[in-house]
Amino acid sequence: MSLKFGTSGLRGLSRDLEGRPAALYATAFARHLLGSGQAKPGDMVLIGRDFRPSSPAIAAIVIGALQRAGLAPLDCGTVPTPALALFGLSRHAASLMITGSHIPADRNGIKFYRPDGEIDKADEAAITAIAATLEGEAIDATPATAPDASTQVAALFIDRYAGILAPGTLDGMRIGIYEHSTVARDLLASVLSGFGAECIAFGRSEVFIPVDTEAVPTETIDQLRRWAGEHRLAAIVSADGDGDRPLVADETGTPLRGDLLGLIAANFLSADVVATPVTSNSGIEAAGRFRVLRTRVGSPFVIAAMDEAVTEGASAVVGFEANGGTLTASSFSVNGKVLAPLPTRDSFLPALAALALAAGRRQPLSVAAAAHRLPVAAADRLEHFPVETSAALMAMLRSGPDALSAFLTPVGVPVGISDIDGLRVTLEDRRVIHFRPSGNAPEMRCYVEAESEAAAQQLLAQGLNLVRAWAGRAK
């Protein structure tokens, strides 16, 4: 079976999650909540889902399992993960989001939330252990229905951002909304139009489209550029499947990197501390008046670093991942509105911050973004890359400096190494290349930094080619 916890929740093939496995993990989560005192019989638990074909059936199975475990599910429908999490925090209710996020439709997953926010690695271990004890038991996977709460979830999320910008901040801005199959598509239009933007929607799809904001395909970028020119847009906004990773393109249709969006959001909030994975741009440390905490990839690690900063007394703590999903561990006062903590990835805050930056400076978004002067970064992935091959490659690269140097001979000489998550190598000419197996899918990712776009793309292509060639020899 393909199911396992990765960087963000349980993931695997849809066919491996549908039926008994979905009921088993929902039951394990319920028993963990009840056994740890985080819930009591009859407590509310929220269920949300994305638009992939398998999600409604899995959600119905999960609802039935939770009811039989003694909890009271509410069906929150197709809503963004951050909206579901916000509603859960407001009601002190646990939540489950049925989503595979940005990965293809033949895969799916479940994101679990305690009443106080995302589960951590200890919770994952506990749920996994309980699920193992249930393997020998008869698990009822009969689907069920629950009362609908989707309207309340959406209303609370819209209210969160109402007033965060001054009225009319986006007046005169024509903003495209790439709808595809993201559950954020309708709420994006509602939030942006509330600040005066003229929203033009396109690309809505009834077929699920996996949008990875860290590796936007060339054909998608080409389409964004066509839309930007055709509609004379100031920007295009979108998100991944479950709406927790932003996709923001400038007036030319060129997407901004996620870590740049997170940086813009951190400066927008005047953060004192920023937690971000090692995969985020190395120039972030010098790009704001905040202390940077580097973590492994995945929201549980970012949240752990944020929590530690709060415990130590920090009062303005933000986190973001290289995909742009932005988290807050503190309350912030913005434009006279108090923004409550939302310690889970959110695509709306960084998108609003970027648009407000361009509007406030009266500059095209591309110009406002370029003013941060970060090293040029690029990233891509090799899909359908066997997990076993990834593990063998990483073991070889970590086996010693000679092995790493020999592997990287075609691209440069390594002078610095970070092994926080994957292997991040600084070359003698200050370029950076980072190899990391995905935690959610059979993919090998490569991240690079260089002084120019051309140099970054060249290094990225070289890095991916090195991986392909090694995998071919290893067969």
Side-chain angles (χ1 to χ4, degrees), residues 430-450:
R430 297 179 180 268
R431 292 179 301 158
V432 173
I433 187 163
H434 183 170
F435 300 103
R436 175 184 164 270
S438 170
N440 293 320
E443 299 173 350
M444 173 59 77
R445 292 182 177 269
C446 182
Y447 311 82
V448 301
E449 292 181 14

Side-chain angles (χ1 to χ4, degrees), residues 63-420:
I63 287 171
L66 293 170
Q67 288 173 344
R68 288 185 289 275
L71 298 175
L74 284 182
D75 184 354
C76 298
T78 48
V79 294
T81 295
L84 181 74
L86 180 68
F87 194 71
L89 289 170
S90 74
R91 301 297 181 91
H92 198 66
S95 311
L96 297 89
M97 180 70 182
I98 313 303
T99 180
S101 187
H102 62 285
I103 58 180
D106 66 338
R107 297 175 177 273
N108 212 330
I110 305 176
K111 294 180 178 179
F112 299 90
Y113 288 79
R114 303 177 313 219
D116 62 345
E118 281 192 38
I119 63 171
D120 59 23
K121 291 299 178 181
D123 294 311
E124 288 181 6
I127 295 166
T128 301
I130 295 171
T133 67
L134 293 172
E135 282 292 354
E137 296 186 19
I139 299 293
D140 188 349
T142 304
T145 59
D148 179 83
S150 57
T151 301
Q152 299 97 299
V153 174
L156 182 66
F157 195 64
I158 290 173
D159 182 68
R160 172 179 176 79
Y161 288 115
I164 193 175
L165 305 181
T169 294
L170 305 183
D171 279 355
M173 294 183 74
R174 292 167 59 89
I175 299 175
I177 298 178
Y178 174 34
E179 295 188 322
H180 64 94
S181 50
T182 176
V183 291
R185 56 196 185 189
D186 294 327
L187 289 181
L188 279 171
S190 179
V191 170
L192 295 177
S193 61
F195 294 114
E198 178 187 355
C199 295
I200 300 172
F202 38 68
R204 180 173 288 232
S205 174
E206 300 306 316
V207 176
F208 187 81
I209 299 174
V211 172
D212 184 349
T213 62
E214 283 188 272
V216 183
T218 300
E219 57 270 25
T220 300
I221 295 175
D222 290 342
Q223 181 62 70
L224 293 173
R225 288 172 173 164
R226 285 193 291 271
W227 280 324
E230 176 185 348
H231 298 288
R232 304 185 307 282
L233 301 175
I236 298 174
V237 298
S238 188
D240 66 336
D242 68 317
D244 68 348
R245 301 177 177 209
L247 174 60
V248 178
D250 64 23
E251 74 283 357
T252 72
T254 302
L256 305 185
R257 279 185 53 84
D259 46 13
L260 173 57
L261 293 172
L263 169 63
I264 291 171
N267 283 328
F268 173 75
L269 294 175
S270 299
D272 292 331
V273 176
V274 165
T276 193
V278 65
T279 50
S280 291
N281 196 291
S282 63
I284 287 168
E285 276 78 354
R289 296 179 179 178
F290 43 65
R291 178 165 59 99
V292 178
L293 307 175
R294 292 285 179 168
T295 75
R296 293 180 61 188
V297 174
S299 54
F301 301 108
V302 174
I303 292 169
M306 291 197 304
D307 287 345
E308 183 177 350
V310 171
T311 300
E312 292 174 351
S315 59
V317 182
V318 174
F320 60 84
E321 298 190 63
N323 54 50
T326 302
L327 314 85
T328 53
S330 309
S331 292
F332 291 89
S333 179
V334 186
N335 192 41
K337 181 184 179 73
V338 176
L339 199 65
L342 184 56
T344 196
R345 282 194 305 255
D346 175 26
S347 62
F348 283 65
L349 175 59
L352 283 169
L355 296 174
L357 177 68
R361 293 185 177 181
R362 299 183 180 276
Q363 294 176 328
L365 182 53
S366 63
V367 176
H372 292 82
R373 301 187 182 280
L374 296 178
V376 176
D380 205 347
R381 59 187 173 168
L382 296 180
E383 298 182 272
H384 311 297
F385 198 86
V387 173
E388 299 78 10
T389 306
S390 294
L393 172 60
M394 298 310 295
M396 183 277 292
L397 293 176
R398 291 183 171 115
S399 64
D402 291 343
L404 179 62
S405 294
F407 182 79
L408 291 175
T409 295
V411 298
V413 178
V415 295
I417 300 171
S418 170
D419 205 7
I420 292 177

